[in-house]
Amino acid sequence: MTTVASLALGPAGPATAGTQRPAPARQSTTVHGLASVTDLFAQRLLLADKVAAAKYGTDTPIDDPAREAQILADVRSRAAGLGLAPDAVAAVFRDQIEANKLVQRGLHARWDANPGERPTERPDLAKEVRPALDRITTELLAALAETERARAVPSCGPRLAGAAGWSAYTHRLDALHLEGLGRALPSVCAGPR
């Protein structure tokens, strides 16, 4: 998403995990509500590194339709319990899954091209990564419920882009994760963008 990239990158270029610059002291009130959502997107995208490392060099594919269907069924059910539209919530999570796979594919390609950057440890998906993803899922469902009004107004698109830029900066996302963040956004706003 060009808007997110320009907000997050600014004149200095992409933020990377190794960048040592201070985070801003506080966040703009105009993006506050939606930043609770985009911060969780960024956290989920950073976990894609561990998912990619767990799968790299194994027979485990990046695409896992059965697991994805299980996640979407779960969030549909939980959304209904929160008074949210199940299909709309499932669309947001489908975008999260696709964004995560985009990062995984990018990392696998990077590691194939640069063997020296390959992960030296294989995280345990079941014991280490999935519990963290499950925690983010629960927090994201709550954030979607809390931001339901903000996501339904015409100003959602620009405010979402601002929140995403803020989250990209504070989480120091590199270009690949920034691309993933852009992929994570399309279904967030319920109203006109």
Side-chain angles (χ1 to χ4, degrees), residues 14-167:
T16 62
T19 302
Q20 296 298 319
R21 62 179 172 179
R26 64 182 184 81
Q27 164 179 356
S28 164
T29 56
T30 59
V31 299
H32 176 69
L34 295 174
S36 64
V37 173
T38 58
D39 279 349
L40 290 166
F41 289 177
Q43 290 175 38
R44 197 173 194 288
L45 286 168
L46 291 170
L47 276 174
D49 295 34
K50 288 188 176 194
V51 176
K55 294 178 178 180
Y56 188 74
T58 71
D59 291 338
T60 305
I62 290 174
D63 291 284
D64 186 350
R67 173 82 176 141
E68 294 167 22
Q70 181 184 29
I71 292 167
L72 295 176
D74 175 58
V75 296
R76 274 189 176 94
S77 173
R78 292 168 67 182
L82 292 170
L84 296 170
D87 289 342
V89 169
V92 170
F93 277 88
R94 188 175 302 109
D95 285 343
Q96 302 321 296
I97 291 168
E98 293 304 319
N100 194 285
K101 291 190 299 187
L102 183 149
V103 170
Q104 289 180 57
R105 285 185 188 101
L107 289 171
H108 282 202
R110 182 183 301 165
W111 297 334
D112 285 344
N114 302 290
E117 294 180 20
R118 290 178 180 161
T120 56
E121 296 180 13
R122 190 176 314 279
D124 187 313
L125 280 176
K127 293 180 182 175
E128 181 181 349
V129 181
R130 286 192 178 137
L133 289 171
D134 291 344
R135 175 193 55 81
I136 291 171
T137 294
T138 298
E139 291 177 12
L140 184 52
L141 284 164
L144 291 172
E146 291 169 7
T147 60
E148 188 173 22
R149 273 185 156 159
R151 293 182 301 103
V153 298
S155 63
C156 178
R159 292 181 65 221
L160 180 64
W166 176 266
S167 296

